[in-house]
């Protein structure tokens, strides 16, 4: 996760869809968990100092408060008790059911989507793809954030695995491919619209609405 994402997640200013994606990523990433815990401790210390003085927070006092804070790192459990599921706890709690009970909608051969409803100005979905599936070339009017929950995805020269985040926006015209031998499950948060490109772009855009 970027520093900006970590900061907005810690202070609560991140969008709801990206908050779910960030919480899911934190279950895989100890370094990001530690950074969020440090940011939350700093924020708490600043607020405490502001409450003690009308002159604003004293930096030395804030740093002393952070050093003295015994608050442990938040307990993010990765996969949870259902060891056979690729869904981390934040996602499983949001969808409210095991992955095998979700309603999957056919998109392309080997590719299915489960839309997670209730997000304003964002499309949040789970994607499930078999090895070898290539997503048709596309670009975006907004931003696309993808968290790999299982399997591997190649995008350009980069290969993303479990717990990795991939980002794309209007500068990118890409066609990710599922690699390896494992079914790939992803959490995708999309702002704006996706526009297919390439020879079949027009037909796919009509199909996608």
């Amino acid at each position: 996760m970027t520093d900006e994402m970590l900061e907005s997640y810690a202070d609560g200013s991140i969008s709801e869809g990206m908050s779910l994606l960030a919480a899911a990523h934190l279950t895989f990433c100890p370094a990001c968990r530690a950074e969020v815990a440090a940011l939350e401790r700093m924020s708490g210390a600043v607020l405490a100092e502001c409450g003690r003085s009308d002159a604003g927070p004293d930096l030395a006092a804030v740093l002393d408060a952070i050093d003295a804070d015994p608050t442990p790192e938040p307990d993010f459990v990765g996969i949870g008790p259902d060891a056979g599921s690729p869904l981390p706890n934040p996602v499983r709690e949001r969808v409210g059911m095991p992955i095998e009970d979700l309603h999957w909608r056919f998109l392309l051969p080997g590719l299915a989507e489960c839309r997670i409803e209730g997000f304003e100005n964002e499309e949040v979905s789970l994607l499930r793809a078999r090895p070898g599936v290539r997503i048709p070339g596309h670009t975006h009017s907004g931003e696309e954030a993808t968290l790999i929950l299982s399997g591997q995805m190649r995008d350009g020269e980069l290969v993303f695995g479990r717990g990795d985040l991939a980002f794309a926006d209007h500068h990118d015209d890409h066609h990710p491919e599922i690699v390896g031998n494992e079914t790939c499950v992803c959490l995708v948060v999309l702002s704006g619209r996706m526009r297919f490109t390439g020879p079949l772009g027009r037909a796919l855009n009509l199909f996608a609405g």
Side-chain angles (χ1 to χ4, degrees), residues 119-179:
F119 295 89
E120 186 175 357
N121 300 322
E122 292 173 307
E123 291 185 8
V124 181
S125 302
L126 290 168
L127 290 182
R128 183 180 64 191
R130 293 199 303 260
V133 166
R134 290 175 62 89
I135 312 298
H138 62 277
T139 187
H140 307 272
S141 63
E143 296 182 342
E144 178 189 64
T146 302
L147 171 64
I148 309 301
L149 304 179
S150 67
Q152 292 182 311
M153 179 187 78
R154 177 185 290 122
D155 195 355
E157 298 181 355
L158 300 176
V159 175
F160 300 90
R162 183 171 176 262
D164 290 339
L165 285 166
F167 298 95
D169 59 19
H170 65 282
H171 296 292
D172 301 292
D173 187 343
H174 63 149
H175 45 89
E177 177 184 5
I178 307 307
V179 296

Side-chain angles (χ1 to χ4, degrees), residues 84-101:
S85 172
L87 302 184
N89 280 346
V91 178
R92 191 164 60 246
E93 290 173 1
R94 178 74 192 211
V95 299
M97 63 183 71
I99 189 171
E100 58 269 17
D101 294 336

Side-chain angles (χ1 to χ4, degrees), residues 38 41-46 59-71:
R41 286 197 300 271
M42 178 173 291
S43 178
V46 169
L59 179 58
V62 169
L63 295 176
D64 288 342
I66 294 171
D67 291 337
D69 187 356
T71 304

Side-chain angles (χ1 to χ4, degrees), residues 87 95-107 111-117 124-128:
L87 302 184
V95 299
M97 63 183 71
I99 189 171
E100 58 269 17
D101 294 336
L102 295 174
H103 175 68
W104 293 94
R105 181 173 68 97
F106 172 87
L107 294 179
L111 178 65
E113 176 192 49
C114 175
R115 185 72 58 85
I116 306 176
E117 303 294 345
V124 181
S125 302
L126 290 168
L127 290 182
R128 183 180 64 191

